[in-house]
Amino acid sequence: MRRKERDMELLRLAIAAAHSARENGNHPFGAVLADADGQWLLTAENTVVTERDCTGHAETNLMRKASAIYDADFLSQCTLYTSTEPCAMCSTAIFWGNVRRVVYALPETGLYDIVDESSEEVIQIPCREVFQKGKKAVVVEGPFLEEEAALVHQGFWT
């Protein structure tokens, strides 16, 4: 299977995790980790509400799991797939965890088009900008499957 096709499959798994997060009473975000061969390793979803943890974003939860299991050298060969572009906090967790490739579906600008404009819960810093501040390269690809990724947010933020 071609890499791009596998990327889309894994992004759909991340979007499915976002649906699961929403069904479980959390914000609709999901993330998946795959190894260098594109084999699925881990999935995480947002747990901000149910765990009463403001840092319980899907990507941060995934990096907690991943760094407990895998060493930094292994993680440097992995790809993190996420239903929505990682926020600044999650981007930093990905950076510290040593994952060197991120593929996302819905861009932050697309999310903020959906979220209530009056919300104070917004920090608009694209993940590429966060990663560029670091001294190691993190490849970012996306957005992809924007319409599919936006569906899980419909009606959630209003």
Side-chain angles (χ1 to χ4, degrees), residues 2-3 8 18 26 41 55 65-66 118 150:
R2 292 181 32 230
R3 181 175 179 176
M8 296 309 110
N26 290 293
L41 299 171
T55 67
K65 284 184 184 181
S118 67

Side-chain angles (χ1 to χ4, degrees), residues 14-36:
I15 294 167
H19 281 283
S20 178
R22 183 172 179 170
E23 289 170 1
N24 289 328
N26 290 293
H27 302 135
F29 300 98
V32 168
L33 186 72
D35 68 14

Side-chain angles (χ1 to χ4, degrees), residues 30-102:
V32 168
L33 186 72
D35 68 14
D37 296 323
Q39 297 302 306
W40 168 86
L41 299 171
L42 298 169
T43 302
E45 59 187 56
N46 182 289
T47 58
V48 167
V49 176
T50 56
E51 297 290 325
R52 296 182 53 111
D53 177 2
C54 64
T55 67
H57 293 195
E59 300 91 342
T60 300
N61 288 340
L62 186 69
M63 291 312 303
R64 282 188 193 108
K65 284 184 184 181
S67 62
I69 298 169
Y70 305 109
D71 66 31
D73 287 338
F74 180 81
L75 289 172
S76 73
Q77 302 302 308
C78 292
T79 299
L80 187 146
Y81 296 87
T82 182
S83 63
T84 304
E85 182 177 355
C87 71
M89 176 184 70
C90 292
S91 296
T92 304
I94 294 163
F95 180 86
W96 292 127
N98 208 34
V99 170
R100 302 294 182 97
R101 182 172 179 252
V102 174

